[in-house]
Amino acid sequence: MRVLTTGGAGYIGSHTVLALVEAGHEPVILDNFANSSPEAVRRVSELAGREIELIEADLLDAPAVDRIVADGNFDAVIHFAGLKAVGESAAQPLRYYRSNILSTLNLLDAMQKHGVRNVVFSSSATVYGEAGTVQYTEELPLNAMNPYGRTKMHIEQILDDLAASEPGWHIGKLRYFNPVGAHPSGRIGEDPRGIPNNLMPFVSQVAVGRREHLNVFGDDYPTPDGTGVRDYIHVVDLAGGHVAALEALGDVRGSRAWNLGSGQGSSVLEVVRAFERAAGRPIPYVVAPRRDGDLPEFFADPTLARLELHWKTERGLDDMARDAWNWQSKNPFGYGTGEEDPEA
Ligand code: NAD
Ligand code: UD1
């Protein structure tokens, strides 16, 4: 399939583009590099052994999106592009609603007009919010707790309404749990700008000496060691989940949500220990207050993806830590040199 991947230069997009090539598909990247680097595309091309087609464009530019879809001869779209920082979304809700929702509307308008009816969307486990349970199944009501999460929830609803409005749409909504790790080559990985919000990139930067210590946000949760428990998923497994979803879309009438996670929770301290084993050095940490909006524990029920996508995770926490460390130690400043990021 010829697949338009919006946000394909980003962290999850770049790994998925490579997985698509490996599975015999033809990805085309659309990105405005708002949160990524052309260097990622160059490296994916190098790993793929061929030049990946790249279109530099902003999804907020409706006429440009219309032209790209009109001319692209695409069989399907994987829609990664969007803003994703929870704290920033609370400070700048209009920017988040505009960026995430308006860009999706532009894309869907163009797809509808030019007859592209297959789409896989990057949703998030964050759409479930506080669900009154720790293992999330797809039937739980959506209850996002911050503007970022609500953009994902609203886009899911828009996709459902679109699918209900006319026949012929095949829509997969992928609810990712906590993607971490990097390609085992160490050539592509996660390259957050500024101070990382998420645990694994922060731990990686402590290990490589860019930050002094980790703040563990709370050690008095009702979990086995008192720290927060999440379902970490290796980004290469996640990339495979997109290929599986794309290939299963033909069987979907309308829209369908799938959890992409391992089904297993790991605590903050378990992540720290795994990283210490991988890097062969201690990760200094201090216990800090709980972070606002954090839940004690949640993980996926991945049964539906196993049954319908014939997909499951294959890599464990030690693989995630090893590959994250391999990437971080070979690229201490990600795709840059460390000089372009004043906060780094
Ligand atoms: P990322 O920031 O690395 O990738 C997003 C890409 O989209 C970037 O390359 C960025 O430049 C591009 N982009 C943003 N706005 C754009 C626009 N208007 N036009 C064109 N390109 C634009 O993020 P990621 O971690 O790879 O996440 C990909 C998707 O998965 C996002 O939608 C994110 O919300 C979702 N998601 C991510 C996580 C996670 O932990 N990384 C978890 C759940 C869901
Ligand atoms: C966060 C987002 C979520 C998003 C997900 C992407 C919030 C409230 N939620 O989820 O919307 O979909 O990232 O992966 O931001 N931790 C520390 N110290 C740190 C960073 C994190 O102790 O410096 C802890 C957190 O309290 C949590 C765990 O590590 O228990 C994982 O945190 P994180 O990687 O930010 O992911 P989530 O909180 O699950």
Side-chain angles (χ1 to χ4, degrees):
M1 279 186 254
R2 187 167 154 84
V3 187
L4 179 66
T5 58
T6 74
Y11 171 45
I12 301 168
S14 56
H15 289 81
T16 303
V17 164
L18 183 59
L20 287 167
V21 174
E22 287 168 354
H25 299 292
E26 191 187 339
V28 175
I29 294 176
L30 181 161
D31 208 296
N32 67 352
F33 300 116
N35 194 40
S36 54
S37 157
E39 177 63 11
V41 179
R42 208 188 59 71
R43 294 195 190 181
V44 172
S45 295
E46 171 197 293
L47 289 168
R50 68 174 178 75
E51 201 68 28
I52 306 293
E53 209 176 316
L54 166 68
I55 303 169
E56 189 170 347
D58 190 327
L59 284 178
L60 288 172
D61 181 349
V65 174
D66 186 77
R67 266 194 314 277
I68 291 162
V69 176
D71 297 345
N73 204 20
F74 300 116
D75 301 296
V77 175
I78 305 183
H79 180 34
F80 296 102
L83 304 179
K84 62 167 184 177
V86 173
E88 192 179 64
S89 79
Q92 305 172 18
L94 297 182
R95 179 169 163 240
Y96 267 68
Y97 284 113
R98 186 179 316 106
S99 290
N100 290 1
I101 296 185
L102 210 52
S103 62
T104 302
L105 292 176
N106 289 341
L107 180 67
L108 294 172
D109 267 338
M111 290 175 65
Q112 186 177 47
K113 188 164 157 200
H114 302 293
V116 183
R117 296 279 193 278
N118 299 311
V119 58
V120 171
F121 171 61
S122 295
S123 188
S124 168
T126 201
V127 297
Y128 295 116
E130 201 156 6
T133 174
V134 291
Q135 187 163 29
Y136 293 171
T137 56
E138 289 83 352
E139 302 83 57
L140 285 168
L142 304 191
N143 180 29
M145 289 162 29
N146 54 63
Y148 162 71
R150 282 190 277 274
T151 68
K152 294 292 177 192
M153 188 176 78
H154 293 318
I155 293 169
E156 284 208 11
Q157 291 163 338
I158 290 168
L159 290 168
D160 294 347
D161 288 341
L162 178 62
S165 72
E166 56 178 3
W169 284 92
H170 306 274
I171 299 174
K173 300 170 292 182
L174 302 185
R175 297 180 182 155
Y176 314 155
F177 281 67
N178 288 57
V180 297
H183 191 265
S185 64
R187 296 294 290 157
I188 55 173
E190 186 167 15
D191 182 18
R193 296 198 175 160
I195 301 167
N197 299 307
N198 299 116
L199 178 64
M200 187 73 98
F202 202 104
V203 170
S204 307
Q205 293 193 5
V206 173
V208 83
R210 275 174 71 178
R211 320 229 166 247
E212 238 171 53
H213 65 263
L214 169 73
N215 289 307
V216 173
F217 296 145
D219 68 348
D220 56 355
Y221 283 111
T223 59
D225 66 19
T227 66
V229 168
R230 296 291 183 273
D231 185 340
Y232 296 94
I233 169 172
H234 195 297
V235 67
V236 174
D237 279 336
L238 185 61
H242 289 76
V243 177
L246 185 74
E247 293 175 352
L249 274 188
D251 298 329
V252 174
R253 298 276 160 266
S255 82
R256 189 101 175 121
W258 293 291
N259 285 340
L260 296 186
S262 71
Q264 281 213 325
S266 305
S267 74
V268 174
L269 293 181
E270 284 172 329
V271 171
V272 169
R273 301 291 172 236
F275 217 94
E276 288 180 331
R277 284 194 294 278
R281 56 181 74 176
I283 307 289
Y285 68 83
V286 299
V287 175
R290 293 179 178 191
R291 181 172 65 181
D292 268 359
D294 270 357
L295 293 169
E297 175 172 15
F298 62 84
F299 46 91
D301 180 337
T303 309
L304 203 63
R306 185 160 44 75
L307 294 177
E308 296 185 356
L309 305 182
H310 312 292
W311 170 92
K312 62 179 177 52
T313 59
E314 285 165 9
R315 294 160 182 83
L317 197 55
D318 283 318
D319 303 309
M320 302 178 209
R322 182 199 60 226
D323 292 335
W325 173 241
N326 184 40
W327 154 253
Q328 187 72 61
S329 53
K330 287 180 173 157
N331 309 269
F333 293 96
Y335 296 111
T337 60
E339 274 161 27
E340 52 285 269
D341 185 349
E343 281 184 273

